[in-house]
Amino acid sequence: MAGSAPPAGGFVRRIGLFQATAINMSQMCGIGPFVTIPLMVAAFGGPQAVIGFVAGAVLALADGLVWAELGSSMPGSGGSYVYLRQAFQYRTGKLMPFLFVWTAMLFIPLIMSTGVVGFVQYLGYLAPDMGRTTGDVVGLGLIAVVVLLLWRGIEYIARLTAVMWCVMIASVLLVIVAAFTHFDAHQAFTYPAHAFELTSTHFWTGFAAGLTIGIYDYLGYNTTAYMGAEVKDPGRTLPRSIVLSILGIMAIYLLLQIGTLGVVDWHRMTDPGDIASSSVASAVLEQTWGRGAAQVVTVLILVTAFASVFAGLLGGSRVPYDAARERVFFRPYGRLHAKHRFPVLGLVTMGVVTGIGFLIGRHTDLATLIQLLTAVMVIVQALAQVLAVTVLRRRQPGLRRPYRMWLYPLPGLVALVGWLVIYGYADTNAPGRHPIEWSLAWVALGCVAFVGWAAYEKVWPFGPKEISEEYLEGADPNAETAAVTA
């Protein structure tokens, strides 16, 4: 499929393995670990917080194998939209892909908004006198710049992403090197009493909170799956980019977490008045190489945060495009820019919602924002997609699968349990915020929107189901879908 010509007016396959892995890793790393290490330490109550990053890596790898099988088999623009459409069309028509796009229009920009919150948080280290209003303006301005940079062709964006990936690697490596040149093993590996008491409710509550923070830090391993129609040789490139990015980021996170704990006393990370609680990487550099080095690396971290938001909006803006083009979402989202061939309305909408999420995060707290976005994501995307692998193996046994999940169905079961733990503990970890209730309300509102949209488009339940099996061997990907009586 490498180098295959796209349908008239469609996307162009120009993203190779290195660029795909760079896009994933830029989105995964970004500002995440630099702002969540203190949150992780607070959740566990000590340096045993490294457990959270390990647990997050296990869940990310298990879920990544789900994405790898689905993405290599159905390399279309939109990622989960395509997979859920293919798997659940036989019973519920277009309901599941519609709900996915509906929820993705919320949770993807919410993920990006946490990166903008982190950007402003670290900017505060360089400009300690910056007020809240100024910080709000800077964050909104950053989002506007990202949207303007994405207002161009994918070939330019891929090169720009590779450059920002290099900056991201440099910023992380500098923090790691600085930490290990002044590493105190006794400080890093001295744990509070009862830190590993598995019979304690406190341990498991901390574990659930840490797993939520951990998987948030790994989110992004699936970014290029949303851009499957723009990836060269997707049957090989997508699975490899997913696995390589998860393994690479796992190594980086463990070194970063352990190195940081060996320099900065973990008690400082839980003190709201200490710089280590908001800009822990800057605190590491200041304590090891001095304030000048800390300022330089802080600038690199700001570039890293920018790269994360950039990569996320790049992939996320593609989600509603294919759905609208296939008449599974509101039609205006199916239009591409006449010259640069990118989805205009998807990009603009994601940018606006990112701005709203940023303001919510700034005026509540980052933990609340993480809880809300994970709860919304789990209920429609994560759980449904694990089920989709089994459904498609039964419904479409002839589907071409360049990659088949290792140890099937074990990774899917691990992912299922992990996502259920995160969802079940959402309210526990965010008391008074009610993320589960908000997620259910958003899905219910999506069901109402679907009913109105389906009535307008005259599709199931107001018309026949349309069964589309274009990814099966021998199927014509440009053929019309078949309408069958429900």
Side-chain angles (χ1 to χ4, degrees):
M1 296 181 68
S4 60
F11 288 123
V12 179
R13 296 192 183 278
R14 288 176 174 165
I15 300 176
L17 178 59
F18 173 76
Q19 292 168 329
T21 306
I23 289 171
N24 285 346
M25 291 182 71
S26 296
Q27 169 59 15
M28 290 170 73
C29 188
I31 196 71
F34 295 122
V35 296
T36 58
I37 285 176
L39 295 179
M40 190 77 81
V41 170
F44 279 90
Q48 69 273 25
V50 70
I51 296 173
F53 284 118
V54 174
V58 172
L59 177 53
L61 190 57
D63 194 58
L65 296 183
V66 173
W67 278 90
E69 175 166 327
L70 295 173
S72 65
S73 303
M74 296 167 286
S77 172
S80 292
Y81 151 72
V82 177
Y83 318 147
L84 299 184
R85 182 194 67 193
Q86 291 294 303
F88 299 107
Q89 60 186 332
Y90 302 96
R91 290 189 179 275
T92 57
K94 299 179 178 181
L95 173 62
M96 286 303 294
F98 181 96
L99 284 180
F100 163 71
V101 179
W102 175 265
T103 55
M105 298 292 284
L106 179 63
F107 73 73
I108 291 177
L110 284 182
I111 295 173
M112 299 310 100
S113 66
T114 63
V116 184
V117 170
F119 180 95
V120 175
Q121 201 168 295
Y122 267 81
L123 186 62
Y125 178 79
L126 300 178
D129 296 329
M130 180 177 64
R132 179 174 293 276
T133 301
T134 302
D136 292 347
V137 172
V138 168
L140 295 176
L142 174 70
I143 296 168
V145 170
V146 170
V147 172
L148 288 175
L149 284 176
L150 288 172
W151 207 271
R152 61 193 65 241
I154 187 64
E155 64 274 17
Y156 306 107
I157 291 173
R159 289 197 290 268
L160 184 58
T161 299
V163 172
M164 290 192 291
W165 178 81
C166 292
V167 174
M168 179 271 290
I169 292 295
S171 63
V172 174
L173 289 181
L174 283 171
V175 175
I176 291 173
V177 170
F180 280 96
T181 56
H182 294 72
F183 185 72
D184 183 347
H186 181 266
Q187 178 174 286
F189 300 112
T190 298
Y191 307 104
H194 313 298
F196 300 100
E197 190 174 307
L198 301 184
T199 58
S200 168
T201 302
H202 176 74
F203 175 86
W204 290 110
T205 301
F207 179 85
L211 180 62
T212 302
I213 296 168
I215 195 60
Y216 158 76
D217 282 328
Y218 285 97
L219 288 178
Y221 53 84
N222 51 14
T223 299
T224 46
Y226 291 121
M227 306 166 62
E230 300 166 87
V231 175
K232 299 176 184 176
D233 192 11
R236 292 167 58 87
T237 300
L238 283 176
R240 291 180 178 185
S241 68
I242 289 171
V243 173
L244 287 175
S245 59
I246 291 172
L247 294 178
I249 290 296
M250 178 178 66
I252 289 172
Y253 281 176
L254 291 178
L255 289 172
L256 191 63
Q257 171 78 79
I258 294 171
T260 299
L261 289 168
V263 174
V264 179
D265 187 326
W266 69 268
H267 294 91
R268 292 181 57 194
M269 301 184 200
T270 61
D271 180 1
D274 196 301
I275 189 66
S277 67
S278 59
S279 307
V280 68
S282 302
V284 169
L285 266 296
E286 183 175 297
Q287 192 165 321
T288 55
W289 293 351
R291 183 165 178 80
Q295 290 174 331
V296 171
V297 174
T298 299
V299 171
L300 295 181
I301 291 173
L302 294 178
V303 175
T304 297
F306 179 87
S308 174
V309 178
F310 182 90
L313 287 182
L314 168 63
S317 63
R318 269 65 179 168
V319 173
Y321 165 74
D322 208 42
R325 190 169 60 94
E326 296 287 342
R327 292 180 61 242
V328 185
F329 202 61
F330 302 108
R331 294 190 185 189
Y333 285 93
R335 298 170 187 159
L336 293 178
H337 190 278
K339 179 180 178 181
H340 298 304
R341 316 308 300 165
F342 67 86
V344 176
L345 189 55
L347 177 59
V348 172
T349 303
M350 293 271 182
V352 170
V353 179
T354 299
I356 295 172
F358 162 70
L359 293 176
I360 292 174
R362 284 277 291 170
H363 294 275
T364 55
D365 58 77
L366 187 59
T368 296
L369 202 55
I370 292 174
Q371 288 292 340
L372 177 59
L373 73 89
T374 50
V376 172
M377 181 189 70
V378 166
I379 193 171
V380 171
Q381 182 190 35
L383 298 181
Q385 196 161 279
V386 171
L387 181 60
V389 172
T390 301
V391 171
L392 284 168
R393 286 201 177 194
R394 182 170 60 87
R395 287 284 193 175
Q396 297 187 11
L399 182 66
R400 180 177 175 269
R401 293 177 172 86
Y403 166 81
R404 297 177 71 89
M405 184 192 297
W406 302 330
L407 302 176
Y408 174 85
L410 183 58
L413 294 175
V414 172
L416 182 67
V417 171
W419 290 122
L420 287 174
V421 168
I422 287 173
Y423 192 71
Y425 277 84
D427 276 349
T428 301
N429 295 332
R433 305 296 188 185
H434 308 294
I436 288 181
E437 288 84 348
W438 280 110
S439 69
L440 292 174
W442 183 255
V443 172
L445 186 60
C447 290
V448 173
F450 172 78
V451 170
W453 171 85
Y456 178 80
E457 294 286 352
K458 294 181 173 54
V459 298
W460 183 90
F462 301 99
K465 293 174 185 171
E466 298 175 2
I467 304 300
S468 168
E469 296 179 331
E470 70 266 30
Y471 291 100
L472 289 176
E473 288 284 4
D476 179 3
N478 298 314
E480 294 293 328
T481 57
V484 297
T485 303

